[in-house]
Amino acid sequence: MSLPNALLLDLDNTVLAFDQAVEQSWADVARTYAQQLNGVTSQRLLSALLHSRDLFWADSVRNQWGRNNPAEAHVQVVRSALTDLGFSRTDVAEEIAQAHTDNFDRSVAPFPGAIDALRRLRQQGVRLALVTNGGAEPQRRKIRQFHLETLVDGIFISGELGYGKPDPRVFRQALEALGARHSDAWMVGDSLEDDIAPAQALGITGVWVDWQGKGLPEGSKVKPDRIVRELREVVG
């Protein structure tokens, strides 16, 4: 496929190895804080934290709120995990949550080759926009950390706009800012529901980043126009 005039990019798990950093951070805090919780092994603490995390983010209302308030969401996740383990010390919950936030900020990084891919796309004349869901400050912080604002022509964050993917308005707004037609644009992202399906509904080519290499879920109603393992495959 020849490159389009415009390319819309998801941020987390597309440009940045978000989930990998999250998993590593929770493992690190479990090892660090298990010794402060008498009778709890690091593996048991980690299991409780991951179980609490999964329950929290599985709820659509909490998910929406948590994206815009990640630090507070982490506190709720830790409190629930400690309660399941029989502890109720709020100060420890807040300390663990802050450690997780700090660990993540230190460990999150672009996927190998992702930054070079953005540079090569720009060199080939493709106009780029980041289209990401999440709170304004945490998303901007990651963008600044890796100087992504210097590599794209537009940045669209749900926490700043008041709406985000899969709302068609954010796709239309990004394309308008890039001066591109829907038929000559791609949306590249890891979410079939938030990135690919809504983009395709507008006539935008959907490129799914299957960064885990698991393939399409069985019975998936969303059929991407193209599947890649990593962003650098998009350049060719």
Side-chain angles (χ1 to χ4, degrees):
M1 298 175 71
S2 58
L3 291 172
N5 287 335
L7 199 152
L8 311 183
L9 288 155
D10 176 47
L11 179 62
D12 297 324
N13 292 327
T14 298
V15 177
L16 302 182
F18 181 87
D19 279 1
Q20 291 178 9
V22 169
E23 295 297 323
Q24 184 61 53
S25 177
W26 283 125
D28 288 345
V29 297
R31 283 192 296 270
T32 300
Y33 285 92
Q35 56 189 318
Q36 296 185 26
L37 303 173
N38 295 333
V40 178
T41 64
S42 59
Q43 185 55 54
R44 187 179 173 207
L45 176 57
L46 177 59
S47 296
L49 288 168
L50 296 183
H51 177 69
S52 175
R53 178 202 64 182
D54 292 345
L55 286 178
F56 180 93
W57 294 107
D59 182 272
S60 60
V61 175
R62 286 198 301 262
N63 190 301
Q64 179 71 24
W65 175 84
R67 283 176 177 269
N68 292 311
N69 303 277
E72 293 88 342
H74 297 159
V75 172
Q76 290 195 18
V77 166
V78 176
R79 282 176 176 165
S80 178
L82 293 183
T83 297
D84 290 344
L85 292 171
F87 295 91
S88 60
R89 286 179 53 195
T90 302
D91 59 328
V92 175
E94 293 177 351
E95 185 178 340
I96 294 174
Q98 185 60 54
H100 169 61
T101 299
D102 294 341
N103 282 349
F104 172 80
D105 287 345
R106 286 192 297 267
S107 59
V108 68
F111 281 113
I115 298 300
D116 183 59
L118 296 180
R119 294 193 180 107
R120 290 170 60 193
L121 286 165
R122 284 176 68 86
Q123 289 169 358
Q124 295 183 54
V126 180
R127 294 181 62 78
L128 305 173
L130 286 174
V131 183
T132 177
N133 287 351
E137 176 49 32
Q139 297 304 82
R140 282 287 175 182
R141 185 168 62 249
K142 286 180 285 187
I143 289 168
R144 290 193 301 267
Q145 183 177 353
F146 301 105
H147 309 289
L148 298 179
E149 71 278 3
T150 67
L151 300 175
V152 298
D153 303 288
I155 298 172
F156 301 86
I157 302 172
S158 64
E160 294 178 347
L161 299 173
Y163 54 86
K165 301 174 297 184
D167 192 317
R169 290 178 293 175
V170 71
F171 298 94
R172 294 192 182 108
Q173 185 174 348
L175 289 182
E176 182 178 356
L178 298 182
R181 296 176 300 176
H182 294 64
S183 59
D184 195 21
W186 294 359
M187 175 69 215
V188 181
D190 71 297
S191 173
L192 293 168
E193 294 76 19
D194 289 344
D195 297 321
I196 306 305
Q200 289 179 321
L202 294 172
I204 301 169
T205 296
V207 180
W208 182 49
V209 180
D210 179 20
W211 65 274
Q212 294 178 300
K214 293 183 176 180
L216 286 173
E218 185 176 352
S220 173
K221 296 181 180 179
V222 183
K223 306 298 181 183
D225 297 290
R226 183 181 175 188
I227 300 175
V228 298
R229 283 292 305 274
E230 49 192 18
L231 180 58
R232 56 186 168 185
E233 291 180 41
V234 172
V235 185

